Amino acid sequence: HNSTGAEIPELQRTGRVFVGAQAPAFVLEDLSGNQRSLSEWNDRNVLLLFVEAGWPAHDEVVSRVAQPNLGLSIIIVVEDGSDDDRKRIGQLASNHPVLVDNHWHVARLFDVSATPTAIVIGRGMRIASAAALGAEAVLRLPDQVSLS
């Protein structure tokens, strides 16, 4: 169930996520309750950042990744957390969408098991990087990925 109590269809795993594979499709609510789909960013290169809203230690990663000089669209995915925690992440994220992943269903689709973790998805929704785990790796990731 999502935060409004509506039924969420069972998510299917597409197998291990690897560079060059099609990114798993998903729809999540943003902080305003709007449904957002990964396919909205089909024509862009995207950094998908998974963080836990209740961990203030992730705040610096979110604020640094949210800087406009990365050359990537940024999508921040947070697990549950309190409304105050989510609001804090939303403020740190500037204009970037913050999507709520209840119980880490979508994170599991991307084989994310710890946070912060980031994955770059290229145009056409193809995985363009291995998962970067930890603040330092996440912050280095945009410089390490070659995108067209």
Side-chain angles (χ1 to χ4, degrees):
H1 294 274
N2 64 19
S3 60
T4 63
E7 193 73 26
I8 296 176
E10 185 66 24
L11 297 171
Q12 300 297 315
R13 287 188 60 86
T14 56
R16 293 228 26 107
V17 172
F18 57 91
V19 173
Q22 188 72 32
F26 67 82
V27 176
L28 292 172
E29 285 187 3
D30 65 17
L31 295 179
S32 299
N34 300 311
Q35 297 288 313
R36 304 294 300 267
S37 170
L38 180 60
S39 64
E40 292 176 43
W41 291 273
N42 185 51
D43 62 343
R44 300 184 208 150
N45 295 313
V46 173
L47 180 100
L48 195 58
L49 174 62
F50 294 88
V51 296
E52 293 185 50
W55 285 48
H58 291 174
D59 290 3
E60 182 181 355
V61 174
V62 171
S63 62
R64 288 180 62 191
V65 164
Q67 298 303 310
N69 60 352
L70 291 179
L72 297 165
S73 294
I74 310 297
I75 302 172
I76 298 165
V77 180
V78 298
E79 197 225 1
D80 298 336
S82 71
D83 287 340
D84 288 342
D85 290 334
R86 289 186 212 167
K87 195 177 294 181
R88 187 184 76 252
I89 293 293
Q91 290 168 343
L92 293 168
S94 296
N95 300 344
H96 303 292
V98 176
L99 308 181
V100 179
D101 185 6
N102 292 308
H103 311 293
W104 277 141
H105 290 297
V106 170
R108 279 187 240 129
L109 290 176
F110 285 89
D111 293 328
V112 172
S113 59
T115 59
T117 293
I119 297 170
V120 175
I121 301 171
R123 289 180 176 88
M125 298 294 98
R126 295 275 176 201
I127 304 292
S129 77
L133 173 60
E136 294 298 318
V138 166
L139 295 172
R140 284 192 312 265
L141 184 59
D143 294 329
Q144 295 174 337
V145 177
S146 173
L147 299 166
S148 53

